[in-house]
Amino acid sequence: MTELTTLTDVDERTELQLKAARARHRLTEAPAIIGWVRAQVTPGIGGVQDGMPRAASKTAPLPLHADAVDDSDLAFARILEWVSYWAGVYDEQPPALIQTHWRVAGEAQGFRAGITAEGAHHLTAAATFWLLTRHDRILMHEAARTYFVDAATIVQELTARYPTSPRRQRPVLDRACPVCDRFTYGADWQGDDVTDFELRCSFCGHHQDAADFIKAGRVRELMHELREEHADPKAEWWTKRQAITELEMGRSTLDRYIAEGLPTYTAGGAVHVRVEELLETWRANRIRQKASRDKRWEDYRDEHKPTRSA
C-alpha cells in the first residue's frame, strides 16, 4: 500500500458522506451546464464583429454540436428518472413544471423540441432543487450510494464532453477560510475518486489537498459542516478603489504592493490590478502577518508564564 493510499483511506460512512457532498456539488452545477450545452444546438452569428453592416448569409447555419440535443436530453432524462424514483419512495409529488416532461410509453423524456437554453436551465434547476431539498433524507436510504454516484456522473460526463462550458460557480463550506477569514471555503473534486478533492477559498484562493485533512482525521468533521452555496465568480480585474474595498486594505498598502512589483494597467483614466496577482500578494502577506502575530503571542505567554514557588 502506497503512502497516498494510506492517507486517503476512509471508512464506509465517511466515504458515503463524501459521495453525498460530491453529488450535491455536481447537482448545483447541472442547470448552468445543461443550459449551456443546449445553447450549442445552433451557433451564434459568427464572422467579423466590427459593427459594420453586412449582407446576411444565404447559407443556413449548421449545428455547432450535432449531438448537443441528444446529450442534454439524456442528462435531463436521467435526472428526471431519479426525481421519479425518489417521489415514489417518499410518496411525494414532484414540481408540476417538470411533470409535463415525465414519461411517454414508460420512457423518461428529455426536453421538448424547440426549448431554449434558458428554458433548459430553468427546468433542470426545478428538478435539481427538488432533489437537493431531500438530499439529507436520501442519505439515510439504502439506495443513496447508487444515487450519489450516478448524480455526480451525469454532470461529470457532460462536462467532460463539453469542456469549454462556462466557468463554474464554486460551492463553499459554511466555515471561515484559515487565511482570509471569509466564509468562502469550498470543496472541489478533481477526478472520479471521491477522496480526490481539495478545499479552496473562492475569495482569496487559499487551498489545501484532501490528503491533508484525511491524514489529520478531519474529514468526518468537514462532512458534518458541508453546506453548498453559490459564490459569484470573481472579476479578472479590479480598479484600485475596488481592490481597497474588497480586501479592506489601506491605499498605502496597495500602493506598496504596486511599488514592490504588482502589475497594473490604466483604462478609462482608472488604474487596474489583476485580481489573481493581487490576491497572491495579499495572501502571502496575510499568512506572514498571522505567523508574526502568533509568534508575538507565544513570546508574550512565555514571558509572563507564572513560575512555581519553591
Side-chain angles (χ1 to χ4, degrees):
M1 181 179 293
T2 66
E3 180 183 3
L4 180 60
T5 303
T6 303
L7 288 178
T8 55
D9 276 347
V10 294
D11 59 52
E12 290 187 5
R13 181 59 183 172
T14 302
E15 182 186 18
L16 178 60
Q17 290 177 321
L18 285 170
K19 290 181 187 298
R22 183 180 60 180
R24 186 191 294 271
H25 177 98
R26 298 290 187 228
L27 286 171
T28 59
E29 296 175 336
I33 292 174
I34 290 179
W36 186 86
V37 172
R38 197 71 186 188
Q40 309 311 300
V41 173
T42 55
I45 299 175
V48 180
Q49 301 292 329
D50 56 7
M52 298 299 292
R54 288 180 172 80
S57 172
K58 296 181 180 179
T59 304
L62 294 174
L64 184 60
H65 291 293
D67 52 0
V69 172
D70 291 340
D71 290 340
S72 57
D73 278 352
L74 177 60
F76 182 60
R78 287 173 67 184
I79 291 173
L80 287 189
E81 286 281 9
W82 281 112
V83 173
S84 175
Y85 175 80
W86 293 118
V89 167
Y90 297 119
D91 193 23
E92 297 181 15
Q93 288 295 319
L97 180 67
I98 62 175
Q99 287 190 50
T100 57
H101 293 259
W102 210 237
R103 291 172 177 268
V104 174
E107 295 290 333
Q109 300 300 296
F111 299 110
R112 293 185 174 182
I115 192 170
T116 64
E118 292 77 11
H121 184 290
H122 185 54
L123 285 170
T124 306
T128 55
F129 179 78
W130 191 92
L131 290 169
L132 288 170
T133 55
R134 291 154 180 81
H135 204 76
D136 292 339
R137 189 178 181 186
I138 291 171
L139 182 62
M140 309 304 295
H141 195 274
E142 61 182 8
R145 188 179 301 272
T146 300
Y147 163 66
F148 291 145
V149 171
D150 192 51
T153 302
I154 292 169
V155 181
Q156 179 62 33
E157 288 179 348
L158 203 59
T159 303
R161 192 170 178 81
Y162 297 86
T164 56
S165 57
R167 178 180 178 180
R168 306 175 189 174
Q169 292 177 315
R170 184 179 298 281
V172 300
L173 286 167
D174 189 13
R175 59 186 291 124
C177 169
V179 174
C180 71
D181 297 326
R182 286 173 170 80
F183 285 81
T184 51
Y185 208 34
D188 192 14
W189 275 260
Q190 308 299 314
D192 294 334
D193 186 350
V194 74
T195 62
D196 181 18
F197 72 97
E198 68 173 7
L199 295 182
R200 179 180 292 272
C201 177
S202 64
F203 181 79
C204 78
H206 171 71
H207 61 93
Q208 192 168 357
D209 290 337
D212 297 330
F213 290 86
I214 295 172
K215 183 178 181 181
R218 297 174 56 202
V219 173
R220 190 182 299 274
E221 165 201 342
L222 291 172
M223 291 305 100
H224 281 299
E225 298 181 0
L226 191 62
R227 297 291 183 270
E228 298 290 336
E229 299 171 0
H230 284 303
D232 293 332
K234 296 189 297 286
E236 183 178 0
W237 297 90
W238 280 340
T239 64
K240 291 179 68 174
R241 181 184 296 274
Q242 286 175 310
I244 291 169
T245 300
E246 291 289 345
L247 296 180
E248 300 173 353
M249 65 167 62
R251 180 175 295 275
S252 60
T253 301
L254 180 58
D255 289 340
R256 176 166 54 84
Y257 290 170
I258 294 172
E260 292 173 351
L262 179 67
T264 64
Y265 91 99
T266 302
V271 177
H272 295 70
V273 293
R274 190 183 293 276
V275 174
E276 290 301 332
E277 293 176 343
L278 171 61
L279 284 175
E280 183 177 354
T281 301
W282 178 84
R283 194 163 53 232
N285 278 272
R286 180 86 175 187
I287 292 172
R288 283 197 297 269
Q289 290 170 3
K290 284 186 170 240
S292 176
R293 186 167 59 245
D294 291 344
K295 181 64 167 57
R296 290 197 303 269
W297 166 246
E298 289 177 4
D299 290 345
Y300 175 85
R301 187 176 55 188
D302 291 342
E303 183 181 347
H304 294 80
K305 183 183 296 184
T307 57
R308 295 182 178 179
S309 58

